[in-house]
Amino acid sequence: MLLDVQNLTITFDTKYGPLTAVRDLSFSLKMGETLGVVGESGCGKSITNLAIMGLLPTQAKISATRLAFEGNDLVSMSERQWQRLRGKDIAMIFQDPMSALNPCYTVGHQLVETLLVHRDFSKKEAWSESLNLMEQVGIPAPSERLKAYPHELSGGMAQRVMIAMAISSNPKLLIADEPTTALDVTIQDQILRLLKDLQEKRQMSLMLVTHDLGVVAQNTDRIQVMYAGEVVESGLTQEVIHHPTHPYTSGLLAGHPTAEVSTKGKARLPSIPGMVPDLRHRPQGCQFHPRCSYAQDKCRREMPSDAGPTRCFYPLSNGRPA
Amino acid sequence: MLKAVLKKILNLIPTLLGVSVLAFLLIRLVPGDPIMLLLGERGADPQMYAEMKRTMGLDRSLLHQYFTFLSNVLRGDFGYSIVSKRPVLTEFLDRFPATLELGIMAMTFAITLGIPFGIIAAVKRNTIFDYSLMGAGLVGYSMPIFWWGLMLIIVFSVKLGWTPVSGRIDVLYEIERHTGLLLIDSWMSPDGGFAAFKSALSHLILPALAMGTIPLAVVARMTRSSMLEVLGEDYIRTARAKGLPYVRVVIVHALRNAMVPIITILGLLFGSIITGAILTEMIFSWPGIGKWIVFSINARDYPVIQGGVVMIASLVILTNTIVDVLYLWANPRMRQ
Ligand SMILES: Nc1ncnc2c1ncn2[C@@H]1O[C@H](COP(=O)(O)OP(=O)(O)OP(=O)(O)O)[C@@H](O)[C@H]1O
Ligand SMILES: [Mg+2]
């Protein structure tokens, strides 16, 4: 198991009391596997990623029965050990590539710097490796681009640079947190294809966080649907997309005939009536019940467990309650 | 980059012309008559008065006087002091190094302490470090220079006897002038050396402290807020996600970006050095430009004031231009 997360809970101390952003989250990831993570805004996707990178803000408290990468416990790791892991074994790319690159330094400087921390390179070797990486991520005229400042790049180019930086130390896991949300639609497909390509070539694991179900359908082996900081449904992507069993998943997919979802990458999350609950005042029972049209009394009283593939007392079959 | 710099230099011309007009007019707007001050009793004699007025060129029209002044200045001739009869330029160059030395020391003090203090306060925000540094900063900022200077003198010179009260160096030392900066010249003179250097330094410390305190507070405050803003940026998260050590993230990635607004503030502070110098030099009897200008204003020494103000303003504008160029260096997005 490359990444193993069991009962991860992340709580923020806020002015208005504790906020449990992620609750009892369990999932795991094998070497070379791609996992799609979907869910509405605010359901804890980015926070989970930051926890895996050890980059949570200081006001966040974290607990887990197990949070391990390659069998090594992450919770007890020192800052030193984190630094050896970050950017080396686990790399990350973000939503807005233009703001993710430092405006004061050239692309080359930022790439070389990354190579110099984790790999035993001289400056010169790092520079030629940078060129090599720039070619691998499909950047034309790479030696000129290395001398460019981030503001001289387009969004797509900047994201390619971020990807080059992320793969520079041959990470085992790449976390892509909404890597295409800020980009033009035409560029989105190219970037996703590049990610998928690199993942296959390098046999790394990929965690792809997105709002876009089409993207997940096309690019991932497994899917994990999150709601209010919990996993509500998980399984093989094709299985879940075609036969959702949780009413939330079904709601997300509603109005998007699955065939279309899997061919075109433009199916945004449709809106389900109602709102994600205030995480400081969570509802009793199933977190989704206030918005669920199939909710029963039991749903309002008790929490369904996440032992099975779906966190629901009354899973759907063929889009209907059984 | 080069083009942007050239443009900045061209922009200096109208600014400098404006300064020359202001310098010329301002002193003439101040009540008081240089001829009367110069002649004293004898000024009562209308013939003497008229003759003096003619030799000084004050009988011509204002416009004529201004253009004479301007064309002389352009040829490097700033006229002669009415009081000392020496060339204004010479007088200026005599005193300028003293102010320069004081200003450099004060700003070095402000920058070398202010930036680290600001960084610490930002990185340790809302901790006891942050609160005490920023509290001290507020006190420092609110302190009037003359009061603060006097307090320093009372404590360190009078009570503790650690530092001299006034002047630039002990009268014992006869320092040959090379750069005009005593910290350097003290080493180069035959009877100089470490003792002379120490004397110069001990004379310099208090005035530099008095003059640098407000800039120190401003720099620390600006650094803190600028760093806080930058530390929340996406590229800081990227830098940490790359596995860089935190110190490197703070210094290389955050500080470099935070420098952009800090440099702007430094430019403004350099401009206000002269104000600080005037007060400081008066308190510590520091033989620099500030004291000279105050003295000349009291004497209505027109040529000195005109020339001095033009030279001072040119220097301030020049440092501001240097700061602008630094700003371009710090901010690649501005370089087009
Ligand atoms: N610094 C913080 N202090 C308090 N609460 C926070 C903080 N950061 C995040 N949260 C809470 O954690 C929850 C999850 O946030 P997160 O950024 O992980 O959402 P997300 O699923 O990535 O959403 P999006 O799709 O918009 O990126 C949010 O509801 C937010 O209220
Ligand atoms: Mg997010």
Side-chain angles (χ1 to χ4, degrees), chain A residues 42 45-47 95 177-178 209 211:
Chain A
K45 306 183 298 287
S46 299
I47 289 298
Q95 176 168 344
D177 194 343
E178 306 192 33
V209 175
H211 282 179

Side-chain angles (χ1 to χ4, degrees), chain B residues 228-248:
Chain B
L228 276 183
E229 195 174 317
V230 169
L231 284 172
E233 294 283 349
D234 284 359
Y235 51 79
I236 297 302
R237 189 185 51 193
T238 306
R240 296 196 67 201
K242 292 202 298 196
L244 302 184
Y246 194 61
V247 173
R248 187 175 167 92

